[in-house]
Amino acid sequence: MDELLSINSSSVERFLRRWYGTVESVSRVHLDARPYVPAELVEWHMAAALTAGPVTFQDRPVTPRDLVPDSSGMLEFWVENQNGYFWAVDLNDGRLQVFAREAGEGGWTGTSEVLRDFLLHCTVREAVIGSTSKFTIFVDASEINEALESFEPLKFAALSSEEPQVKLWCSEDALVRMAPPPTGYAGPGEQLWMLTFAAPSDSLIERYTSRFGLEDLTEVKLARVELPYEPPPF
């Protein structure tokens, strides 16, 4: 997925087309009356509208009609699913650095991402979360290189709402979200990583199941971990 490794202005559109496909016609997103909305946001909403299905499943974008800056010029555009975190850009900042704020906290804190990269980052993260062709496996830290063979790390830093060790990876046809296991999943002295493999289709995810002794889709679905509701295995 070159669009994730060499990011440019077309990366979101190219990734969405690769992962979800497109529809032939759709009602356009009308943002013409809001000249203050950054072009990157307009392009994201247009690309999402041209996709054959939803592209967010957990966190969500602020709808175009609600994109209104506050009195200081901060434009909130992305919201965590439990309304615990919010992301915004300062319209007075030419770089369009993304800022984050936790619910109940006063000010905004700068992140390491600019708007274009943040929107792609969240789009990829949501693709993993929303995929119906995925499985989650726990891997010992000593075996992580073998588990992620053919995958390359993406440059995105963890979101403010995530543990800082969270990392996204991609191969030519699949994604992996790498995260520390929830409390209780690692036994005494174990160093584990939780890997969620996701692909656009069942036929593609099957390429990765054999790495873990899962030979068919039935076994993949049995191995799938739906967090946070799956109890620890011991």
Side-chain angles (χ1 to χ4, degrees), residues 134-176:
K134 67 179 178 181
F135 66 97
T136 296
I137 201 87
F138 294 90
V139 176
D140 188 271
S142 64
E143 301 173 352
I144 199 68
N145 289 337
E146 181 180 357
L148 291 173
E149 183 182 0
S150 77
F151 284 82
E152 295 190 51
L154 302 181
K155 73 173 189 175
F156 309 125
L159 297 180
S160 304
S161 55
E162 297 177 312
E163 294 174 287
Q165 303 96 322
V166 170
K167 191 75 177 174
L168 292 169
W169 299 64
C170 79
S171 69
E172 63 179 0
D173 56 9
L175 299 169
V176 170

Side-chain angles (χ1 to χ4, degrees), residues 40-53:
E40 292 87 343
L41 268 177
V42 175
E43 292 164 3
W44 187 92
H45 281 282
M46 289 301 303
L50 288 167
T51 299

